[in-house]
Amino acid sequence: MERLKDHFITSNLEYSEGVVSRFIQEFSATNVLSANLLITALGIYSLKINGIQVENQLYAPGFTYYPKHLYFQNYNIQPYLLDGINVIEVYVAQGWYCGRFTHENKTQIYGENIAVSWILDLTLKNGSTFSIASDETVLETTNEYLYAGFYDGEIVDRTRPFEIIGQAKIYTGVLPDNFELTTIPVLQQDLIDVVDVIEVNDGVILDFGQNFAGYVCINSALMNNETIAIKHGEVLYPEKELYVRNLRRAKAQIVFTKGNQPELYKPKFTYMGFRFIHISGCVYKDDLIHAYAIHSDMHRTGYFISANRMVQRLYENQIWSQKSNYIEVPTDCPQRDERMGYTGDGQAFAHTGSYNYDTKQFWRKVLKDITYSQQDNTEGYVGPTIPAEGPKGIGYMSMLGWGNAITIIPEMLYNQYGDESYMSENYEAMKRHAEAEIRKLNDQFLWIGINLGDWLAPGKDVAWFAMNNNPVSNTFIINDFRVIADYAKRHELHDDYERYHNYYINSQGGYVKTFLDENGVIQGDYQGAYVLALQYVLKDHPLRSKVMANFVKHVKAYGLQTGFFATEYLLPLLIEANEPKLAYDILLNDSNPGWMYQVNRGATTTWERWDAILEDGSVNETVISSDNMVSFNHYAFGSVGKFYYEYILGIKSLSPGFQKLTIQPWIDERLMAVSGAYESSQGLIEVAWKIVDSKYEMHINVPIASTIILPNNETKEVPCGTHAFRGIYKNNR
Ligand code: BGC
């Protein structure tokens, strides 16, 4: 919206971290027929008209690659207007734009200070029209926010008077070229109630029973004192103590002083990742506090219920980790001084996430963050975090497995939703990324260097992967070539097909020659490399069966040993290897490393590290990259969710967008009974099965004619509708 570009105003105050600006503008209007307000900010704004908050979008206008792209919003404010004098009141916090952000705790990343712009277009009942915009008539005042920032939280004092600072300053700094109406807002979602109140020496700890991203809501009428202070944490450790060391430099606190008017106070310019809060300053009583979870607004499309409580809890955990980390961008975690858009974490969980929720809008937005950021990378790579921190003067090598999100995610979206626009819109960006990789290849068509490998694989640290990552890292490059070649082939882009197919074949050849011996043993003989080679490199290669056999042997010998990237494919490959019992053994294993180990230790979201809590019950504080790195809410290992939909329920799409459907549930008596559903682009798919007296019973509802594969491998072609099957259950088919 070009008009907004002409009306940016900024603060009179020198930049200081955490400052919130308040702007007011009065106007007179009577008999208003329509009133539309366009608004955006460099920072985060909150808008009130005559004292009433207008927006329900959180952290508006949203997090974008500010050097090139900014969202704006459009509100009908007619219902808020009075005949006579009206007041537009806009608070602007620093947010991602110039507040403290990134694991390096930088400030002013995208600009020196906040700025905001609005235009109000009014039509009166007599037909006349006029507009008001942010300009020098706007006044800036002091306000109740003493501090606001994502990491440290908010300090709010409602008793503070509003004093005029002066007329707003006209903003003359740079603005991005692209202004766009928001497509997917972050909204307040689930209400979370207190489930336990724990008395401690210096106050009270409240347990919400669930780890999540969101904020508290304080009923000021129930405060027995002027000020309440709240600290947030994910776990209690040692017992009855809020563990905050994993928040690193994030203070994650709220300090709220009430005013004369009773209110329900909720922070506006921050959110936290927490399950527990510590309260001091006020006596806790029922209803003083509850909380809300937040996330980018998405429609839930996947459901799963199992009679096995552990299996069910793990499913819920990955859902909660998705909710907690789909906040504007695919964040790594919601609690510590990070909360950045990580491409690698994003791609590792994206497929699972696209079953749980309709993620089309989320990714369309994030793919823009990726491609705008990429345009400022002089080497053309997609970086590990997006939106990027600003134009890069010099190029940098993408972290392999991270930047490759640019091919993995559009292809996944195409397959899941049958919509090729994600591929076509990002095709040039994919090629740019692949060309940057090509420039780094050696004469074996491989990239040899230091990288992070299969991040956080058990027992393999950064130093080990620095020397041994190559059999993992190159799989991502080879897959990039395959994705681009496949697209080029479908669209008859002959030259592109030729180029990228050749790179695919050559680098596949180089990979086999360099990293595999004739018995299919991979260099370093580690699980992540087997998994990713099978997934990305050896689809139709003669060595596949030997490599598969070595992979199975490895799993039998060592159990689960995968990191962020290989975990998604571990159980599906075991099924392909005809080892369903082994797949379920791994799923259900409750020793470390294993999913049920986390569940057994009380996890309500998926952990960043398999052993975030060590076997002796202590928090794993082993330093990685010079920092405590133990988030209890990272979703990469939640990529097991895909196994729930595609194998436990057996819902498998055979052509993009579920146009061809197979249902092949893999039954295991340890799960007792399961049911679930996926709302595919073809319609609702439902599957339920249970085991009774060594017999299975299965109910299936399909929206289109489908193929059903029964546990005895019998294949049935069925029309759309519901179908029931019974048969003998034999363990380990
Ligand atoms: C993040 C990860 C990320 C990694 C890569 C960590 O600090 O939390 O999830 O992928 O860094 O460097």
Side-chain angles (χ1 to χ4, degrees), residues 665 667 687-689 696-700 708 710-711 723-726:
I667 292 179
V687 177
W689 57 257
Y696 72 81
E697 283 178 24
M698 199 185 280
H699 291 267
I700 290 169
I708 292 173
L710 297 174
H723 308 277
F725 304 93
R726 275 188 188 77

Side-chain angles (χ1 to χ4, degrees), residues 586-661:
I586 297 289
L587 175 72
L588 299 173
N589 167 37
D590 60 6
S591 59
N592 175 33
W595 285 285
M596 297 310 164
Y597 174 78
Q598 307 189 359
V599 171
N600 251 346
R601 306 230 156 206
T604 59
T605 40
T606 46
W607 296 347
E608 176 175 28
R609 291 157 80 154
W610 288 113
D611 55 358
I613 301 275
L614 297 172
E615 273 154 53
D616 64 5
S618 62
V619 172
N620 183 353
E621 295 190 319
T622 323
V623 164
I624 298 186
S625 315
S626 80
D627 259 324
N628 169 313
M629 210 190 73
V630 60
S631 145
F632 293 91
N633 202 352
H634 250 65
Y635 53 42
F637 296 144
S639 61
V640 68
K642 179 163 92 171
F643 183 78
Y644 278 66
Y645 294 107
E646 293 192 351
Y647 296 90
I648 303 181
L649 297 174
I651 298 170
K652 264 280 182 77
S653 167
L654 295 188
S655 75
F658 289 77
Q659 288 172 60
K660 278 197 196 142
L661 181 62

